[in-house]
Amino acid sequence: MKKVLLLYRNAFGGLSRPAWMLSLIMFINRSGAMVIPFLGVYLTESLGYTLKEAGIILSIYGLGAVSGSFLGGWLTDKIGHFKVQLFSLTVGGSLYFMFLFLEEFQYIAAGVFILSLVNDMLRPANSASIAHYARPENVTRAFSLNRMALNLGFSIGPAIGGLVAAISYKYLFIGDGVASMMAGLFFFIYFRKRQGHKPQKAAATAAAVTEKVRSPYTDGMYLVFILLNCGFAILFFQLLSTLPLYYRQVYVLPEGRIGTLLALNGFIVFLFEMILVYLLGDKIKKAWLIPAGVLVLGSSFVVLNLGHHTSLLYMAMVLLSFSEILVMPFMATISVERSNDRNRGSYLGLYTISYAAAHVVAPYLGTTIASRYSFDTLWWTLSVFAIAVSIGLYFVVQHMERERLSGKTRITANEAGVTVS
């Protein structure tokens, strides 16, 4: 037991106080995450829309997320991550209340787009904030801490949401809105007087003048990486789109059981991510860890086709959760390592856009295949797609890691006064 406690202590040790505070704020925000996991069920069960119509609404949410991620990354470099995060948390939280009055398809579609646009401005700004406040040697663990807080909150939000939805789906919007605004208030109180949340200005030195700031949109290898990350996210976001519908329509699970299954994902990531990142991060190359995690995700879809028993649902969720642990923290680290203080918002904005774009494709793809063919066909299709994404990520991440290490070698040699050809 002492060894286990020491392991947890080492895994969490050395992280800065602002990194902990950012994680606490995201925990508060995600503890109210009740709407998105149940949005598809709300549209079909409560408002009577078809599976395809629900998929369109969920894809529109993704379109808003793409726009918000781009805008959030651009604004982070222009006005700083503090203002962007504060706006997203407070204004985004207030927008949930408008859904208490929306029932027509076109109004729901417009409301979902605006809500996701404002909410997803938070992601690149929050990532830039984590990278800024984290110590260089702890960047991956700082991102893992933040994700641990998100997942702990996500283990609470859907579980409560399942109970609330059984009473009235309308209360989901109230709970999500209140939690977001509370997180915004806490964020403002703690970070309003701290240095470091202003946009980075180029230093007036010869080096700064001659150095060209690279744009992620002209970084060819990074663009391929982003495309493959989007592929992974399309697979992963079945968690928030087709899986709840699958639980409801195929297994006829009540809202409480659906919430419990979704909460299991957050609980597993909360328990194990920091430990596994601490144990594996410096020992196994990202080029092996990330593709392995994608294959684990593909295997979770295979499990769903092995029979018809609720135990298979839990087994698939466990595999999906460990896939998340092996992939997401290291993907974020690659984006941080590829950027610098003057373009980090843009790089992390594009990284976030890859997830937001997946929010567009994942629900539409999933609901279209499931409604036209079957859920079984959907799971087999996704498992094959996971193999292709895994192979692509292996080669791309390996190439990017070689570039990074080569760049470090050149810098070290130049600092030592050695000419490197």
Side-chain angles (χ1 to χ4, degrees), residues 305-323:
N305 278 343
L306 294 181
H308 188 87
H309 195 278
T310 52
S311 62
L312 295 175
L313 301 183
Y314 285 95
M315 187 184 304
M317 186 59 72
V318 169
L319 290 170
L320 182 147
S321 302
F322 277 100
S323 166

Side-chain angles (χ1 to χ4, degrees), residues 205-259:
T205 63
V209 172
T210 57
E211 181 186 359
K212 184 178 179 181
V213 179
R214 180 169 56 180
S215 167
Y217 298 95
T218 59
D219 186 346
M221 188 55 61
Y222 188 71
L223 290 174
V224 177
F225 168 77
I226 287 299
L227 183 63
L228 290 167
N229 185 62
C230 182
F232 162 76
I234 290 170
L235 295 164
F236 180 78
F237 283 146
Q238 302 305 316
L239 171 70
L240 300 176
S241 53
T242 52
L243 274 174
L245 292 168
Y246 177 68
Y247 298 153
R248 184 68 169 176
Q249 296 187 7
V250 176
Y251 281 82
V252 199
L253 296 182
E255 290 87 350
R257 289 285 297 280
I258 295 173

Side-chain angles (χ1 to χ4, degrees), residues 107 212 253 276 295 358 377 385:
Y107 296 133
K212 184 178 179 181
L253 296 182
L276 288 177
L295 289 177
T377 302
F385 183 50

Side-chain angles (χ1 to χ4, degrees), residues 175-195:
D176 222 331
V178 169
S180 181
M181 289 191 292
M182 284 180 60
L185 177 62
F186 191 85
F187 174 80
F188 175 76
I189 291 172
Y190 184 80
F191 284 99
R192 72 187 190 279
K193 293 183 179 180
R194 298 191 70 86
Q195 295 297 316

